[in-house]
Amino acid sequence: MAIEWIDAVTALRVGIVYALLALAYFLFARTTDTINFAVGGYAMAAAMLYATLTGGGTSPLVAFVVAVGLGAVLGGMTETFVIRPIASKGRDEFVVVLAITALLFVIQQLAGFVFGRRAIIGEPLTAGRVELAGYEVSFQNLLTIAVGFVAAVVVGLWIGRGRSGRMMRAIGDNEQAGLTLGIPVRRVRLIAASVGGLLAGLAGALTAPQAGNSFHSGVSLSIVGFIALVIGGMGSAYAPLIGGVLLSFLELGTSLIFGSTSRDYFLLAAVLLVFIARPEGLFSLKVRTT
Amino acid sequence: MTITVTPARTDRMEVPPRSRGRRDTTLLPAVFFLVAFVALYFGWALAESYHLDIAMTFTMFSLLALGMYTPLFLGGQIDLAYNAYLAAGAYAVAIIANRTDIPLVLAIPIGAAVAATMALVLGLVTSHLTGFHLALVTLLAGTAAYRWISSTGAGLTGGASGIGGIPRLDLLGIEFGREQLVAAGLIAVWLVAFALSRFRRSLPGLAVRLNRASTPAAEVSGIPTTSIRLVSLAMGAAIGSLGGVFVALMNQFILADSYAPEIVFLALFLPLLGGISTPWGAVIGAGLLCFLNEASAFIEGPGPLVFGGASLAILILLPGGLIGVVALGWSAARSRMRKEDKL
Amino acid sequence: MSALLRCADIGKNYGGVTALKRIDLTVGVGEIVGLVGANGAGKSTLIDIISGNTEPSRGAVMLRDREVKGRPARRARAGISRTFQHPQISEVLTLRENVACGLASTRMRSPLHVLRELALSALIDTTPWAEVDRLCESIGLTDLDRVAGTVSFGDLRLAEVGRALVQQPDVVMLDEPFPGVDDEGVMGVLAALRTLRGQGKGVLLVDHNVDIVASIADRLVLIADGEVAIEGPVDECLASSVFRERYIGVA
Amino acid sequence: MKTGTVRSAMVAGAALISVGLTGCGGTDELPGAEGLEGDPLVIGVIMDTSGTASFYSEQAVEMIEYAAEATNTGEFPVALQGLFGEGSRGILDRPVKIVTEDDGSDPNRAVQAARKLIAAGAEAIISTSGSASALQSRIVCEEEKIPCIAPYSSSGAIVQQPNAGYMFTIAPNSTVQGASFSGIFKENGYETYAIVGDSSPTSAAVADLYKAAFDDAGLQMVAREVVPVGSTDATAQVSRVRSANPDVVFDSFAALSEEGLFYKSAGDSLDGIARWGNNGLITSDEPAKVAGPDIEGVKTLDVRSIENAYGVEVQDAFEKAHPDIDYLSWTTICNWEAFMVLKHAFEEVGSTDGPDVVAEIEGLKDFPSVLGPPGYTTSFSADNHNGSSSKALVPVVLEADGSIALADDETIPD
């Protein structure tokens, strides 16, 4: 089986999208201490909105901004109306997870209601293709890689260096201590959640022109994002980026070499392998064992 | 702080009066549900042929939800492979009936054993990890199992065309037709819920619940935390497989499509809808789901939306679920009655 | 007095930080040992090492001259029980149920026992609730139907002490059991410890209230800078200048 | 405690209101039945409003209702007028009533839905939901001795024993289609093929059936690929197909968005390889919308022919009655046929007795058909509950804009 270099471009493009989703998970996990399974829902909603808007004649750039904004709003609203009210009652972490899962289904059904129950596809941000070493590569693909990569790096820098990033880390380690230190915990959490939603919205808006998005693609987006997070680990803000790209290469690689019929088995095997060999993910702060 | 130490009291303490011991609170709901089930069966299920199917759907979702209740709500373990456990029960029935000479009734233990083994393996792999890792690996395992029964393993499982021709179960001279199966299903639900409500308050149940609150506390209490975690996962899986057994016996036909991972997300919310303070909450949740399914005949479309929205609202606003609402109302009414008594 | 519990040459490093340098400590049959020291001296770390919640960097823990190893549950079943400085309790269980969890160390010794308990649980209630109630009564914990999430801090501590005692351990380690506990509860716990002493069990008692500890302990051990600074009979210790300097003198 | 009570009261109230709002079903007026005497004859319809079959089920139900209205008013196309006799209205001179039941494409709910329809008095059931639903609900048809038709279910398993005694299908099923496709492939001299589908069980099963048909015809499979449902990319699958270098790529997708994704990902990289799709490709414009111009040149088999005057008449009238429909699926017209087969069988038997009606359908020969080229007719027999032959199939090719044109260069050998 010949593997062409163009396949690597594809893997990178898909991987960047996974990475954005994983990074959204990461932001929620670090500040609000939740695995936010709804991020795939944000991405799906953003993609559906983008596709609907461009289909209705809105300029792709405007649609892009609006769709990414929708992601941010959904992220912030999740923190305000779901995570915070439950967490403030001191209930189990999995109650939050279940509530978020319910939210994912509500988002999906609402999207089906608003945008219709059929797959729709958006106009690309930029039309046109460029000839690269014997292959035609669409600008949209290159743009996806560039925008996604820049977003991941900017967020990484923000968490690593910026003031609010430092506050975020402080809250993630110990919210009570954060409060004592005079950190505006609520505001920082809200900002982190909105940025997480924004990243998911970005992932959705970038894929909207690639494939048919339908209201039920939220769950699968949530799952791949989470796998990317597990593979990368939570060690640094760049771990999700690497996890996402690795996952995509793994998917494409096994599909190319062994055929796509066994993809689900390979995913399970890969995750089991990571759990057995490096349970903390490839890049971690500390071993998360009991 | 200074303390004047008094001489030691006598070693043997008086035995406290019996009345101060623990009250058995498992009997009252059990009796209530027994009456409710009997009334449901004779007053409603037998009235129309399709009511039996709804009652069977209720049985299946009850067993699924009770299965999930065991590790999740007692032990805080998110196991999402329940579509596979359900399938284990159903395919045990279909394969044994069509491809072997084994007595059909053995499908029950065989399905349970397959489901429990799967849960054990997944539990072992994630035994040192946090709950989310179990959630992910079980979700992927459920998806892979679905893929296997629907395509790769289609030679054995019939794939999308399914396996038909499952005979009626004949046990001790009784032929289990539709009516008998529904009766047996309701009895099974009642027994499992009752047993779980007793388990919940027994020493192993308390051990599971303490472990959920604090693993160090459970450990220093001598609780074999790994064992009970695995036991609760296996128990839940076995209970879930029972739901598959009943559906397969009832419909006499099984299809891979019935065991897609989506069914897990439906069942996940059932105990919460009813209320997680008792296994009966799972049963109530399953009943509510069946009711909403029927109501959705009028809703025209957003049935899943109503269900998801209701789940979300209950999770955020009502930690106690529907049972919690009843309990709240009851205590409010009682305190008002007391006030009136005083006046 | 023969040694019931012996810590031999225990040391613990966290990364580059030394928490315990070298500790040798024994608790004899029918002996109550008071373990004192300033905050951060390593008292809780030592208890964690004995109970198996923390792995030592060096050294061994012996119970009746046999080394105990492995996870805390195994050590609990071997006869070591403890409480935590911050009570570890399930807030959704009642006080009675929290205490009863300690019965696991005698009734759930192997997976087979677990399965048996499980099978029985559906049919009959085999838990000796009267025994639990009696024990709670003896340490002054009453009104046992209260859910643990709703009770005072002192009662939480008492419930944890109850859970440790119901295990019928050979050695009980209480990590600051008294703050927040009312006088009656303190009396109850002390009385229960005396009973244990009478039965030939060992007690390792940690508390900041030296008066209470001194009132019951047979021997005091002072830890400072990760080492045993002084140990001996209570009166000798209290009179010693070393003790005053390195513990009380600090204050 | 107090705010808790208030909150719970609010939630309970909201729940009650939402349930109350939805309780507005009620009985349908029987359109066009004025003047018809007697109890309505109920035809039950299993539909899907929320699941995977919802996009074609909706049109199917509209077609069945349209057929019922035409029957009640007695306005039949020319082709049927001789068959039913002058002035025939309703079925057995009774007005026809359609009762629907939603199953969300969930097989377990399909069983419930079928029994519920029977409880509502249904004398026959038309299943417009997914294949899995039809497979599962046919058990009920047999048990309750009610004739059932799944008009466009392509799974050959539906009309295979066990449990197929009371179930019929109208459109050519995968067995018939498999033979037709392999005939065409042989005719074109193809020797190797690649098969591509999605990860749904339906797609896998359909792929198995086509593979068996192709293998029987001596064709050799060189690649089999799956595009997981929910994918955003299918280049790996395209890559493997391309490097296997088959003479023809056959698609067995059930998930339409993924079907479009495959052709979109292929772009022009499968140039020189013939591309054929199963007829899921034209149940909706979704694959063409997703694939864009890359869909151009993909061929498939339709059951409609613009030369069949009867079929065109029914479709035109239906579209006129439903101006909101912008894409007419081939599945829709099969429901007209199913309804008319039922009317004919009921009236020939003269009663609604299930076993007799089934025997009558099994004996049905050369029933005028809306499907296929002019002169094509529907026939059943006791061992063939699928009413069509390969003659109902018309090779078509998709244009860049997603429209369907006759593939003049292809013929199905006998």
Side-chain angles (χ1 to χ4, degrees), chain A residues 25-226:
Chain A
Y25 271 111
F26 178 86
L27 279 172
F28 275 96
R30 285 310 297 271
T31 47
T32 66
D33 206 21
T34 3
I35 299 294
N36 187 348
F37 282 116
V39 295
Y42 309 157
M44 177 274 300
M48 295 285 277
L49 181 63
Y50 178 87
T52 307
L53 286 177
T54 55
T58 313
S59 102
L61 198 62
V62 174
F64 190 82
V65 173
V66 173
V68 172
L70 176 69
V73 169
L74 286 173
M77 280 172 64
T78 306
E79 156 68 6
T80 313
F81 297 113
V82 180
I83 301 175
R84 180 119 296 249
I86 295 177
S88 66
K89 283 182 195 150
R91 290 160 67 195
D92 279 301
E93 57 177 16
F94 80 87
V95 177
V96 181
V97 176
L98 289 190
I100 286 171
T101 314
L103 176 70
L104 174 59
F105 279 79
V106 170
I107 292 177
Q108 289 205 154
Q109 290 296 331
L110 277 178
F113 199 65
V114 176
F115 303 114
R117 290 174 181 275
R118 294 171 54 186
I120 39 177
I121 190 158
E123 298 285 321
L125 268 171
T126 52
R129 293 166 177 235
V130 61
E131 177 105 3
L132 275 177
Y135 285 101
E136 281 208 331
V137 184
S138 72
F139 282 133
Q140 176 74 25
N141 285 3
L142 298 176
L143 197 73
T144 304
I145 294 172
V147 171
F149 187 76
V150 167
V153 170
V154 166
V155 170
L157 284 174
W158 177 61
I159 297 172
R161 305 264 168 82
R163 184 168 160 271
S164 39
R166 275 200 305 278
M167 291 202 274
M168 249 177 62
R169 274 177 296 156
I171 295 169
D173 292 338
N174 188 337
E175 186 173 328
Q176 210 52 47
L179 272 175
T180 336
L181 288 171
I183 293 174
V185 169
R186 278 193 161 212
R187 205 171 73 212
V188 174
R189 282 175 57 131
L190 184 61
I191 291 171
S194 304
V195 174
L198 183 139
L199 289 171
L202 196 60
L206 287 171
T207 44
Q210 306 285 1
N213 303 278
S214 68
F215 73 101
H216 52 240
S217 48
V219 173
S220 45
L221 288 171
S222 285
I223 292 171
V224 288
F226 188 42

Side-chain angles (χ1 to χ4, degrees), chain A residues 1 4 7 10 13-14 89 117-119 121 209-212 215 220 252 255-261 263, chain D residues 7 49-50 224-226 228 230-233 235-237 239-240 242-243 257 261 264 284-286 289-290:
Chain A
M1 173 65 229
E4 320 269 345
D7 294 331
T10 306
R13 165 171 69 75
V14 176
K89 283 182 195 150
R117 290 174 181 275
R118 294 171 54 186
I121 190 158
Q210 306 285 1
F215 73 101
S220 45
L252 194 82
S255 290
L256 281 172
I257 297 161
F258 303 104
S260 48
T261 41
R263 171 199 182 246
Chain D
R7 269 191 179 162
T49 61
S50 56
R224 180 167 180 176
E225 294 301 318
V226 168
S231 292
T232 58
D233 178 79
T235 29
Q237 288 82 350
S239 252
R240 278 178 64 92
R242 189 182 55 220
S243 65
S257 165
L261 174 67
K264 184 180 160 64
S284 148
D285 55 353
E286 201 169 317
K289 280 240 167 89
V290 171

Side-chain angles (χ1 to χ4, degrees), chain C residues 118-137:
Chain C
L118 209 63
L120 283 176
S121 71
L123 306 171
I124 43 167
D125 193 353
T126 55
T127 315
W129 296 109
E131 197 179 300
V132 173
D133 283 18
R134 199 157 53 228
L135 184 108
C136 291
E137 176 101 351

Side-chain angles (χ1 to χ4, degrees), chain B residues 258-271:
Chain B
S258 309
Y259 305 97
E262 282 81 53
I263 202 168
V264 178
F265 291 102
L266 209 55
L268 196 57
F269 304 121
L270 299 183

